[in-house]
Amino acid sequence: MSPFFSPTRKKFIFFDMNNTILDRRQCFDSAFLEVMNDYTARWEPDESQFSVQDALQSYKMEWSRHRKAPIRSPISPDELRHICLRKALQTLPVNVNPMFTRAFFEQVEEQEDNFVALFPGVEDTLEALSQNYQLAIISNGNRRRLQNNLEKMKLTPWIDQNRLFSSEKDGPRKPHPAIFESALRSMSAVPSQCVMVGNSWRNDVVGAASSGMDAIWIHPGNIKKISERRIGKQKVIIIRSFKQLVYTF
């Protein structure tokens, strides 16, 4: 199979971090259970009526129900987390108010870093790509946490902190063009030299295309192993997993 991109035309590859390089879904589940176990140890609820796994599944089902609604409610992510947690813990002897929810998820975020993991093939793929391209990160989120994750996962040989661009430090959140444009300026790059890789169609693919960059969408549910689409003039390659990137460059 011929590659879709080559070093003669592309010089820079930007990656999303969470759920593209890092498997954050598994991190969240493990961290939620860890914090929930801590709380239930204090409350000692009736085991016949409650389990931490039940709470996690209830939370995720409620979250999914709201996110997949035909007409999405204009509530913020923080408000939605509160609604879902209140539903998940409704049988417990605790007042799930906004303050409780905020404290609970602060602990979940702290615990997530203890469970952070790479998707299969990330290290080998980054090593191969780094031979011909400059690699960088464009990610929504807390810069300190992103830096810690880079170091903990030993990704700095391929992506150092000077090539980490976060919404917290470098402007609006993806898909706003400003964060992509800021990264391009810092790397002294032009859009035609760059490819954005991510798991979010809206944030990573549409956001990059609006800035004139080609993109690769990691979509595990894609029917074909590798397929191609267009957003205007921009090329979008769809793959199922991170390790398939070696076949696109």
Side-chain angles (χ1 to χ4, degrees), residues 102-171:
R102 184 165 54 253
F104 182 88
F105 282 107
E106 283 176 356
Q107 292 180 61
V108 169
E109 289 182 2
E110 290 175 3
Q111 286 292 334
E112 276 188 301
D113 288 340
N114 295 326
F115 298 101
V116 67
L118 299 174
F119 281 107
V122 165
E123 294 164 304
D124 290 342
T125 302
L126 293 180
E127 173 62 27
L129 295 176
S130 69
Q131 304 303 310
N132 296 306
Y133 303 92
Q134 292 189 50
L135 311 183
I137 297 286
I138 302 177
S139 189
N140 291 338
N142 182 285
R143 184 179 180 84
R144 179 187 59 80
R145 290 188 71 201
L146 293 168
Q147 288 175 330
N148 290 342
N149 290 155
L150 277 177
E151 294 173 359
K152 183 173 183 177
M153 294 294 100
K154 300 180 180 179
L155 300 177
T156 50
W158 307 292
I159 306 171
D160 65 39
Q161 294 186 6
N162 292 328
R163 287 182 270 151
L164 169 60
F165 306 99
S166 68
S167 56
E168 182 183 58
K169 181 177 183 294
D170 302 297

Side-chain angles (χ1 to χ4, degrees), residues 1 21-22 27 38 58 77 87 91 122 131-132 213 215 225:
M1 178 183 295
I21 289 177
L22 302 181
C27 287
D38 184 46
S58 176
K87 174 74 171 180
T91 63
V122 165
Q131 304 303 310
N132 296 306
M213 298 166 58
K225 285 187 177 180

Side-chain angles (χ1 to χ4, degrees), residues 63-83:
W63 179 275
S64 179
R65 185 177 70 82
H66 280 272
R67 299 294 287 182
K68 292 180 179 179
I71 301 177
R72 189 171 293 182
S73 174
I75 60 177
S76 70
D78 286 343
E79 291 174 309
L80 180 54
R81 291 203 299 186
H82 174 60
I83 291 170

Side-chain angles (χ1 to χ4, degrees), residues 27-52:
C27 287
F28 175 83
D29 288 1
S30 299
F32 186 102
L33 293 173
E34 186 78 9
V35 175
M36 200 71 254
N37 272 318
D38 184 46
Y39 276 102
T40 56
R42 306 174 204 172
W43 296 332
E44 298 182 355
D46 186 341
E47 292 183 0
S48 65
Q49 298 179 8
F50 176 85
S51 76
V52 293

Side-chain angles (χ1 to χ4, degrees), residues 1-5 247-249:
M1 178 183 295
S2 300
F4 295 90
F5 306 109
Y247 302 115
T248 64
F249 290 93

